[in-house]
Amino acid sequence: MNCAPFTTIAPLIHPLQRQKTVGVQVGDVLVGGKGPIVVQSMTNTDTADVDATVAQVAALAKAGSELVRITVDRTESAQGVAKIRERLDRLGIHVPLVGDFHYIGHKLLADHPDCAQALAKYRINPGNVGFKDKRDKQFGAIIETAIKYNKPVRIGVNWGSLDQALLTSLMNQNAEIGSPLNASQVMQEAIVQSALLSAQEAERIGLSRDKIILSAKVSEVQSLIAVYAELARRSDHALHLGLTEAGMGTKGIVASSAALGILLQQGIGDTIRISLTPEPGGDRTREVQVAQELLQVMGFRSFVPIVAACPGCGRTTSTTFQELAAKIQDQLRANMPIWRDTYPGVEELKVAVMGCIVNGPGESKHADIGISLPGTGETPAAPVFIDGRKAATLRGAKIAEEFEELVQDYVRTRYGGSDNGDIGEIGEAVANSL
């Protein structure tokens, strides 16, 4: 088969260029501006239960959540915030806490100054910060508190609690134009306007632009994409992305990834949350892992070494490669809290665990360290490739254990010092450790 002559081809994938937004400092984390896309999450504990909330914030932070939001819905919750902050600081966990306020946020912040001070950011929803004549007054009170304590604010619009007066006004205006929009388009416009008008009001009161983050959440993928694209077109405010009520399991993961992936590729978004509904008693940190993996597979950030593994087929009837891939991935993720500081750059590591001879050697060569396990009917030997070169062949009953040791040795050798040597020497040194 002859190949066509090579000609200059326009790149199919454009460089990932983020929209320029105003940076907002949330504690020691920069959202927007020149900062990386930030991963955040939210507790589902009762904030009044200090012990439970501290434990969950600690778990989320350990998993990699760079901001953690907590509910502040009543006096008992507000009274717990400063205690939670103090306990976390004693544990050496300095992740910024965001207070989620609805309905009586203005009162809770005024009555509990220690809560107002302990939080790194306030989140308010213009649709339920107050109703009718009280809305502007109560919104203003929260903004004034933020100014007093030098705190940023996320103005988070949600279509489930949209300002009905604004929506009704836009519906009436729409009915009078020659080519009216459909109901969904009017809803989207109301969401965008609610965010922008609220931000304008906050600035009028005196909150600086570098203290405002906007979000506009819906639960339909196409609507979310449309709303954020328009919000980004009209504003340079830092944007928090998230598909609200995304759902459970694979549905929530797929829907969130589809919506956020498209927006991120367009350069839209400064911080993200994957709003997964956990199984009863499920692990809340799952949403952090999904957010990290989304940013990593898209090439925006690196959080944990990636394990490439084939899906398996009739050539791989043994479960050995599946078990080893899962074990290596779990091992890498478990080690990251320590490795992140001890081995700078280790999050870029690529490991391959392949199941047979068809693609195994080739895929393994593309990884930093990879193994090609014997498939059904193949010779019971597993070549290991390090930095593109065949470094060893493992045999016997302890192939998995020996490969795990090689991965550990590789990490120590490559990332353990400022002068790590030639890449080929690293492979040889690791292979000689067998």
Side-chain angles (χ1 to χ4, degrees), residues 12 30 35 38 65 74 77 101 122 127 129 144 150 171 186 203 215 224 237-238 261 278 286 302 350 374 392 394 400:
L12 298 179
L30 179 63
V38 173
S65 185
R74 64 193 196 281
S77 297
F101 293 98
Y122 310 151
V129 73
E144 288 170 357
N150 195 31
M171 287 288 190
V186 176
E203 288 190 67
S215 68
L224 190 85
H237 283 295
R286 177 63 170 154
S302 294
K350 294 178 175 61
L394 305 183

Side-chain angles (χ1 to χ4, degrees), residues 9-308:
I9 302 173
L12 298 179
I13 303 297
H14 297 289
L16 302 175
Q17 295 182 345
R18 286 172 58 199
Q19 174 174 301
K20 293 181 180 178
T21 58
V22 177
V24 179
Q25 199 69 41
V26 183
D28 60 358
V29 176
L30 179 63
V31 176
K34 296 183 179 180
I37 299 170
V38 173
V39 171
Q40 62 176 281
S41 56
M42 183 176 186
T43 60
N44 60 0
T45 57
D46 180 355
T47 307
D49 186 340
V50 173
D51 290 342
T53 303
V54 167
Q56 192 169 86
V57 171
L60 291 167
K62 182 179 179 181
S65 185
E66 294 159 304
L67 300 174
V68 177
R69 183 158 44 114
I70 60 177
T71 299
V72 188
D73 59 345
R74 64 193 196 281
T75 295
E76 292 80 5
S77 297
Q79 290 173 337
V81 171
K83 297 174 184 176
I84 292 166
R85 178 72 275 165
E86 181 183 357
R87 186 91 61 83
L88 289 167
D89 287 341
R90 287 206 308 265
L91 293 171
I93 299 167
H94 304 298
V95 61
L97 297 178
V98 179
D100 196 56
F101 293 98
H102 298 276
Y103 308 112
I104 60 170
H106 63 291
K107 187 176 188 305
L108 293 174
L109 286 167
D111 292 347
H112 303 280
D114 57 342
C115 169
Q117 183 62 52
L119 293 168
K121 184 179 75 174
Y122 310 151
R123 186 268 182 171
I124 57 177
N125 182 341
N128 60 29
V129 73
F131 301 101
K132 297 183 178 178
D133 296 339
K134 294 182 178 180
R135 181 176 62 242
D136 292 346
K137 181 180 179 181
Q138 293 174 183
F139 177 85
I142 295 176
I143 298 302
E144 288 170 357
T145 300
I147 295 170
K148 177 181 178 180
Y149 292 102
N150 195 31
K151 304 293 183 179
V153 172
R154 171 160 71 97
I155 297 173
V157 181
N158 188 300
W159 75 342
S161 51
L162 187 59
D163 182 344
Q164 292 303 301
L166 174 61
L167 179 60
T168 300
S169 175
L170 289 176
M171 287 288 190
N172 292 336
Q173 293 176 41
N174 184 60
E176 296 174 358
I177 63 177
S179 300
L181 304 174
N182 61 42
S184 177
Q185 290 172 316
V186 176
M187 170 77 79
Q188 292 169 14
E189 176 64 20
I191 292 170
V192 172
Q193 284 201 26
S194 179
L196 294 177
L197 290 171
S198 297
Q200 290 172 15
E201 177 63 10
E203 288 190 67
R204 186 195 67 76
I205 294 169
L207 190 65
S208 61
R209 203 170 185 81
D210 64 354
K211 296 291 185 186
I212 299 173
I213 297 172
L214 299 183
S215 68
K217 292 188 176 183
V218 302
S219 57
E220 292 179 357
V221 169
Q222 295 297 344
S223 292
L224 190 85
I225 295 168
V227 165
Y228 272 101
E230 188 61 19
L231 192 59
R233 188 181 72 82
R234 298 191 205 177
S235 169
D236 63 354
H237 283 295
L239 296 180
H240 166 119
L241 300 188
L243 185 76
T244 192
E245 295 105 26
M248 300 179 73
T250 55
K251 185 269 177 184
I253 294 172
V254 170
S256 291
S257 298
L260 271 59
I262 290 172
L263 289 168
L264 291 168
Q265 186 65 27
Q266 293 175 357
I268 298 170
D270 300 292
T271 177
I272 67 171
R273 183 197 171 198
I274 305 294
S275 300
L276 297 180
T277 303
E279 301 287 343
D283 188 352
R284 190 68 165 181
T285 64
R286 177 63 170 154
E287 66 178 44
V288 179
Q289 181 180 342
V290 173
Q292 289 181 329
E293 290 177 351
L294 174 61
L295 292 177
Q296 185 151 343
V297 299
M298 292 192 70
F300 287 102
R301 293 186 66 183
S302 294
F303 297 95
V304 66
I306 290 177
V307 175

